[in-house]
Amino acid sequence: MNNFYASVELLEHPELLDVPVVICGNPENRHGIVLAKNQPAKKMGIVTAETLWQARKKCPGLVTLPPHMGKYKWFSKQINDIYSRYTDMVEPFSIDESWLDVTHSKDLFGSGTQIADEIRETVKESLGLTLSVGVSFNKIFAKMGSEYKKPDATVLISRENFKDVLWPLDISEMFFVGDASTKTLREHNINTIGDLAKSDRSFLIDLLGRSGQMLYDYANGLDDSPVLRFSEREKIKSVGHGMTFRRNLISSNDIMVGVTGLSERVAFRLRKYELKASGVKVEIKGTDLRSISRQKQLSKFTDLSEEIKTAALELIKSSWPAGKPIRLLSVTAINLHDSSDEEEQLDFLSVDDGSRSKLRNIERTVDHIRARYGSGSIQTGRLLNNDLGMDIDDD
């Protein structure tokens, strides 16, 4: 999708189409990071993930709009539903990108470029959004084709033309080549994708490890990874939630409020995905912006916020000095299992008196109430009227 978050927001603000606009969090809550920008803002040199004050230095008249994740998820589902009209081989890569395998759809809908053009027109007419499509013989080149020409374009990268189209591009344009790899490759006079493709594979492995072999294969069109069906997507490996608070967490009560809110959201999503966790991880960032990460294993699989909260608080207490300010905190459920998995490690020294089952029934009842009457219809007392920004929102 082209400038996805910004394009969705501008559907309700057509008067801003030609004005530089960014989507960002509330700077008063210390969330002033650019999440997305429209084309006019991009032309002003504004980039995703920079701070709002940096963006405003480049464009003093910049317009800011708040994000609405629920809205983006809704549009993402509608777009993937359109893709599914053409093939059942649809593999989402992110909220606004998917790979499609249309090999067996050509007899019905035409060539890959014809299908791509029809999808672009369908999305534009039905949702008012534009997208760019890469058509190729593998996933990596299809992804790079979608980036090659924007907005609203179809680019064909074939076995016959990929050297002419991609090899002259700067090495930083290669998929999966980040800043560190770019710097390392440039130091060895590898400045274009063609330079990478023509390099010695063994040399790249010595230079970059396993990723060196991967990048060599990608540059030479040797990627053969399949597109997965929507129902066969890779299983979720972790479920987490983190936030930068409106003010630093200092007291034990501050930490309790923060961990309670984060744990509730993590547990809700575990139940939504029908998963349970056998481990919990916390990440803590201080006012010096340095982070630590700690994790622990649990004696039982869980999807309960109380148990996740208890584990998270134990990790914080054992790894973070009391009274030292916390700027950002995240709580993540790890080592996930299907809820139907009964092979739990039992603790022979404890007897479940039914309290765990009661707690699960309570939390699921809260889920149902929020689903029916809204996410703010019922809240944990500890979170009421807090000044940390721990407001319940839709997930």
Side-chain angles (χ1 to χ4, degrees), residues 82-100:
I82 290 173
Y83 297 159
S84 298
R85 300 176 193 174
Y86 296 88
T87 176
D88 62 343
M89 306 291 286
V90 178
E91 180 184 349
F93 177 64
S94 65
I95 193 171
D96 67 332
E97 295 178 291
S98 294
W99 280 299
L100 282 67

Side-chain angles (χ1 to χ4, degrees), residues 29 243 246 265 379 383 385-386 388-393:
N29 295 343
M243 69 175 293
R246 289 178 181 168
R265 296 179 186 189
Q379 293 191 38
L383 300 180
N385 302 318
N386 73 85
L388 301 177
M390 293 301 307
D391 303 316
I392 298 298
D393 57 7

